């Protein structure tokens, strides 16, 4: 990680520790995981855990009037508040209702004592408007860390869960996922679950779990959609595309997943090992499947299975394209 980026991370962590928050933040750069992570940490810290006080706008659909109303509205029940503006610069030229230039003009004289603004830009490009925002915001360009920094991060993530991993094994994981922090983090959650009560990671643990298994991402995506966390759900969907998973494969994995949830709902078996054997999954995933199954009724699970089968049939007959079918299915899951 460049020295400048290290200093930015150090300053952000210091602000979080001291609760010394700036009025406007701009998180941007190539490392989406860090953009998401610091957006989450700052917004949650500012509102003191009261997530109802966080309002999100997506640049693709956001409307200028709605944004201005939120910026200058007063609500004593919702203070302090955080407004998250996602990908405003990406869609500034295609969303005619956004009027980003006027938003930034308003921010130049923004004096609210209770409202904070966070811009999160995944694909920001330097231009006059972007420079204008950087002048009034605390700007943090979040880039991909160096290998030594990634190793320390992996070891820290594991240490917080009471697990120890060697530098060599951490490097193996990092290289396997091409230094993508989001994919690495998601894998570490699987590894932590796999270890159970054991504290030390062995190379055999890595060999058994280090796979680009799209089913892991399907699980996390559906977990997010089940709780109506659309932002996280679509983030995991993007990861599936990064893994070169076709839409037809995603549909097939969703079908398999809900069949497992349905079987689990109707099972009388209580022995975890036997449940895993009957469902065809790893034993350490049983509790996670059980927890997710609780978020769906059996009728909802059956409906989703039926809809998935119907959409697959319609795709084969050329009545619908596969991406539209996937969007329709995700809508069925969320509603």
């Amino acid at each position: 990680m460049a020295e400048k980026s290290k200093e930015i991370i150090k300053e952000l962590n210091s602000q979080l520790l001291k609760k010394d928050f700036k009025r406007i933040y701009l998180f941007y750069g190539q490392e989406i995981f860090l953009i998401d992570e610091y957006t989450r940490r700052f917004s949650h810290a500012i509102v003191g855990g009261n997530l109802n006080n966080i309002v999100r706008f997506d640049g693709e659909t956001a409307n200028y009037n709605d944004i201005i109303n939120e910026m200058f509205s007063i609500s004593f029940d919702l203070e302090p508040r955080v407004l998250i503006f996602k990908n405003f610069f990406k869609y500034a030229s295609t969303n005619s209702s956004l009027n980003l230039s006027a938003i930034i003009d308003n921010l130049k004289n923004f004096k609210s004592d209770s409202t904070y603004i966070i811009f999160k830009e995944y694909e920001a490009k330097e231009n006059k408007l972007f420079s204008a925002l950087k002048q009034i915001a605390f700007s943090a360009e979040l880039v991909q860390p160096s290998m030594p920094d990634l190793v320390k991060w992996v070891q820290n993530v594991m240490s917080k869960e009471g697990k120890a991993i060697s530098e060599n094994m951490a490097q193996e994981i990092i290289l396997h996922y091409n230094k993508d922090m989001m994919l690495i983090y998601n894998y570490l959650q699987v590894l932590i679950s796999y270890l159970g009560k054991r504290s030390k990671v062995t190379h055999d643990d890595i060999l058994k779990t280090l796979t680009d298994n799209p089913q892991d991402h399907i699980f996390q995506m559906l977990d997010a959609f089940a709780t109506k966390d659309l932002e996280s759900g679509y983030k995991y969907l993007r990861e599936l595309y990064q893994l070169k998973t076709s839409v037809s494969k995603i549909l097939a994995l969703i079908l398999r997943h809900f069949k497992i949830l349905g079987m689990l709902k109707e099972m009388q078996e209580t022995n975890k090992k036997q449940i895993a054997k009957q469902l065809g999954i790893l034993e350490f995933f049983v509790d996670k499947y059980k927890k997710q199954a609780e978020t769906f009724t059996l009728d909802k699970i059956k409906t989703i299975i039926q809809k998935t089968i119907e959409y697959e049939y319609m795709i084969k007959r050329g009545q619908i394209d596969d991406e539209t079918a996937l969007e329709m299915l995700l809508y069925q899951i969320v509603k």
Side-chain angles (χ1 to χ4, degrees):
M1 185 186 290
E3 198 60 36
K4 182 179 178 181
S5 297
K6 281 188 176 182
E7 288 302 314
I8 288 173
I9 293 293
K10 184 178 179 181
E11 171 60 23
L12 289 174
N13 291 338
S14 174
Q15 290 181 22
L16 285 167
L17 184 64
K18 298 176 182 177
K19 298 189 182 300
D20 178 23
F21 305 122
K22 309 304 179 184
R23 191 61 52 195
I24 305 170
Y25 286 93
L26 168 60
F27 298 140
Y28 70 103
Q30 63 180 218
E31 189 47 73
I32 291 176
F33 177 86
L34 290 177
I35 294 173
D36 285 345
E37 179 69 7
Y38 278 100
T39 298
R40 181 188 65 80
R41 290 176 65 184
F42 270 85
S43 60
H44 287 209
I46 290 169
V47 301
N50 190 349
L51 303 188
N52 291 328
N53 292 15
I54 300 174
V55 182
R56 294 176 172 82
F57 291 96
D58 192 305
E60 187 173 13
T61 57
N63 179 281
Y64 170 76
N65 291 328
D66 294 338
I67 293 165
I68 295 301
N69 286 338
E70 282 292 345
M71 282 173 56
F72 295 101
S73 65
I74 298 175
S75 176
F76 296 106
D77 295 330
L78 296 174
E79 293 185 356
R81 297 183 308 141
V82 176
L83 309 185
I84 297 176
F85 298 163
K86 175 185 172 185
N87 286 335
F88 273 30
F89 285 85
K90 177 180 179 179
Y91 294 105
S93 60
T94 56
N95 180 1
S96 59
S97 300
L98 186 56
N99 200 351
L100 181 56
S101 177
I103 291 172
I104 292 177
D105 282 341
N106 276 280
L107 286 174
K108 289 177 181 178
N109 299 306
F110 190 60
K111 302 294 185 182
S112 173
D113 293 327
S114 59
T115 301
Y116 297 77
I117 309 290
I118 298 177
F119 283 82
K120 50 187 294 191
E121 295 291 331
Y122 298 146
E123 302 176 26
K125 295 180 180 179
E126 293 285 347
N127 57 33
K128 187 176 180 179
L129 201 57
F130 195 73
S131 297
L133 176 60
K134 288 172 73 174
Q135 290 177 10
I136 59 176
F138 181 91
S139 302
E141 182 179 8
L142 300 168
V143 300
Q144 189 178 77
S146 65
M147 177 60 82
D149 288 317
L150 282 172
V151 169
K152 289 178 183 177
W153 170 67
V154 167
Q155 291 178 320
N156 186 48
V157 171
M158 298 299 287
S159 177
K160 286 180 178 178
E161 298 295 333
K163 313 297 181 187
I165 186 168
S166 72
E167 181 177 331
N168 286 339
M169 282 188 280
Q171 286 184 349
E172 185 175 347
I173 294 166
I174 293 163
L175 292 173
H176 182 82
Y177 288 109
N178 197 29
K179 298 185 178 180
D180 188 313
M181 292 182 74
M182 182 62 70
L183 297 180
I184 295 168
Y185 182 80
N186 290 338
Y187 165 72
L188 293 178
Q189 303 311 302
V190 173
L191 179 59
I192 289 165
S193 179
Y194 175 80
L195 289 170
K197 294 181 179 180
R198 287 192 294 120
S199 60
K200 189 174 182 180
V201 179
T202 67
H203 194 252
D204 190 51
D205 296 326
I206 302 294
L207 292 176
K208 287 181 178 179
T209 59
L210 192 59
T211 62
D212 282 332
N213 186 354
Q215 184 63 52
D216 297 340
H217 299 274
I218 288 288
F219 192 101
Q220 290 160 324
M221 180 183 76
L222 295 177
D223 227 12
F225 282 130
T227 57
K228 295 183 169 45
D229 182 358
L230 303 186
E231 183 175 344
S232 296
Y234 280 107
K235 176 180 66 180
Y236 292 128
L237 181 59
R238 288 197 303 272
E239 290 175 15
L240 282 163
Y241 289 143
Q242 289 173 6
L243 292 173
K244 310 299 182 186
T245 313
S246 67
V247 175
S248 59
K249 176 69 172 177
I250 293 172
L251 288 169
L253 288 170
I254 290 175
L255 179 60
R256 175 183 180 272
H257 189 91
F258 276 95
K259 283 182 176 179
I260 290 173
L261 294 183
M263 291 167 64
L264 195 56
K265 281 273 193 184
E266 297 180 319
M267 262 188 182
Q268 302 299 318
E269 179 64 67
T270 57
N271 183 281
K272 192 182 295 186
K273 187 173 184 178
Q274 289 300 317
I275 292 173
K277 185 176 180 180
Q278 290 184 44
L279 296 179
I281 61 176
L282 294 173
E283 186 176 338
F284 67 89
F285 271 132
V286 171
D287 287 337
K288 287 194 170 187
Y289 272 101
K290 280 184 174 180
K291 184 176 179 181
Q292 191 178 97
E294 291 173 1
T295 64
F296 297 98
T297 65
L298 185 57
D299 285 342
K300 179 73 175 281
I301 291 171
K302 289 179 178 178
T303 297
I304 293 169
I305 290 172
Q306 184 59 40
K307 288 292 183 184
T308 308
I309 293 171
E310 289 176 9
Y311 292 148
E312 287 183 333
Y313 179 74
M314 291 169 69
I315 291 170
K316 290 176 182 177
R317 291 179 60 88
Q319 297 173 336
I320 191 174
D321 66 84
D322 52 7
E323 290 189 2
T324 301
L326 179 57
E327 284 291 330
M328 292 170 64
L329 183 60
L330 294 178
Y331 172 75
Q332 292 289 333
I333 293 169
V334 171
K335 78 170 187 178

